């Protein structure tokens, strides 16, 4: 079986808005007793601090996804610093938690072999580990969500990495993903994956 002896961590980018999608995702995770990671956008946390607190209150990890969803690989070092620092501050202020990871928007400058030196330097100064993902669900592409077409693509991504034991699965806080998450979780379990805590 595809997932025999292997685990996945579920992660969600771009929150905490839209709130209806976030609430639905949190409810599905709670019903399935799953802890996930949320990489949030600073300016959205500023608008919806209560939503950021809700993520933490339910036992999930909250992490840095930049302030304005900027392409950090093309930004100047002062801008990269500003994007990450502001986000650290607003998350700490809103939730009492200090993020330990940065997932750069679009993965830009974050993949091994293609690391952006300015991002690396700023992340180090802020004690942030740069992370990306192993499985891209492409849930944001039309039709949005985790429908049958996406599932077969996800299945082949797993199959292409036979040696990997733990996979970080990238999703987004959006309506289509919220709708399809329960069936996607069932699918992962059917494939034999354990769902690990971040």
């Amino acid at each position: 079986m595809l997932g025999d002896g292997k685990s996945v961590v579920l992660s969600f980018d771009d929150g905490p808005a839209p709130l209806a999608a976030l609430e639905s995702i949190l409810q599905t995770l709670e019903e399935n007793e799953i802890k996930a990671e949320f990489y949030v956008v600073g300016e959205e946390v500023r608008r919806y601090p209560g939503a950021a607190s809700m993520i933490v209150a339910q036992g999930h990890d909250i992490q840095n996804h930049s302030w304005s969803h900027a392409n950090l690989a093309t930004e100047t070092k002062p801008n990269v610093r500003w994007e990450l620092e502001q986000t650290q501050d607003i998350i700490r202020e809103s939730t009492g938690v200090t993020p330990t990871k940065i997932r750069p928007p679009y993965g830009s400058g974050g993949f091994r072999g293609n690391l952006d030196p300015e991002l690396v330097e700023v992340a180090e100064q802020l004690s942030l580990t740069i992370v990306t993902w192993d499985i891209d669900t492409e849930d944001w592409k039309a039709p949005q969500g985790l429908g049958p077409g996406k599932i077969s693509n996800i299945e082949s991504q797993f199959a292409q990495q036979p040696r990997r034991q733990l996979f970080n699965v990238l999703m987004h806080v959006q309506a289509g993903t919220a709708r399809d998450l329960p069936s996607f979780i069932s699918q992962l379990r059917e494939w034999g994956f354990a769902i690990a805590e971040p």
Side-chain angles (χ1 to χ4, degrees):
M1 276 215 321
L2 194 62
D4 265 2
K6 299 181 176 186
S7 307
V8 294
V9 168
L10 304 185
S11 62
F12 298 87
D13 281 8
D14 297 358
L19 301 190
L22 177 69
E23 284 169 10
S24 166
I25 287 168
L26 289 174
Q27 190 181 342
T28 299
L29 293 173
E30 189 174 15
E31 286 164 3
N32 285 277
E33 297 179 8
I34 291 169
K35 298 291 180 236
E37 295 181 312
F38 288 82
Y39 290 84
V40 297
V41 176
E43 61 187 7
E44 280 192 28
V45 175
R46 184 181 60 187
R47 284 168 59 203
Y48 305 108
S53 302
M54 197 161 56
I55 290 170
V56 172
Q58 297 199 15
H60 303 290
D61 277 13
I62 194 164
Q63 304 290 2
N64 193 321
H65 194 48
S66 83
W67 181 262
S68 65
H69 207 272
N71 181 335
L72 299 175
T74 59
E75 293 287 341
T76 62
K77 187 155 60 170
N79 281 6
V80 171
R81 169 179 288 286
W82 187 88
E83 285 274 338
L84 301 194
E85 254 178 3
Q86 292 286 109
T87 306
Q88 289 293 87
D89 292 348
I90 196 75
I91 292 173
R92 190 182 305 118
E93 249 166 68
S94 307
T95 68
V97 171
T98 304
T100 56
K101 300 177 188 173
I102 164 72
R103 176 140 75 190
Y106 322 105
S108 289
F111 280 99
R112 264 204 303 265
N114 205 9
L115 286 169
D116 180 70
E118 292 165 347
L119 173 58
V120 169
E121 196 176 320
V122 172
E124 255 171 35
Q125 289 163 354
L126 298 176
S127 307
L128 287 167
T129 305
I130 300 169
V131 295
T132 49
W133 57 84
D134 306 304
I135 303 291
D136 185 354
T137 61
E138 299 190 341
D139 59 345
W140 53 273
K141 286 189 178 169
Q144 211 192 66
L146 301 155
K150 307 282 173 71
I151 295 294
S152 63
N153 173 25
I154 292 164
E155 187 173 10
S156 60
Q157 288 183 60
F158 278 123
Q160 283 156 19
Q161 307 177 65
R163 287 204 190 82
R164 185 178 284 284
Q165 294 299 304
L166 176 66
F167 297 84
N168 186 297
V169 178
L170 167 67
M171 290 170 279
H172 295 80
V173 176
Q174 53 178 27
T177 301
R179 178 197 64 222
D180 296 340
L181 186 59
S183 60
F184 181 53
I185 290 170
S186 304
Q187 179 65 73
L188 288 168
R189 288 180 166 151
E190 224 168 276
W191 282 334
F193 288 101
I195 300 178
E197 292 204 8

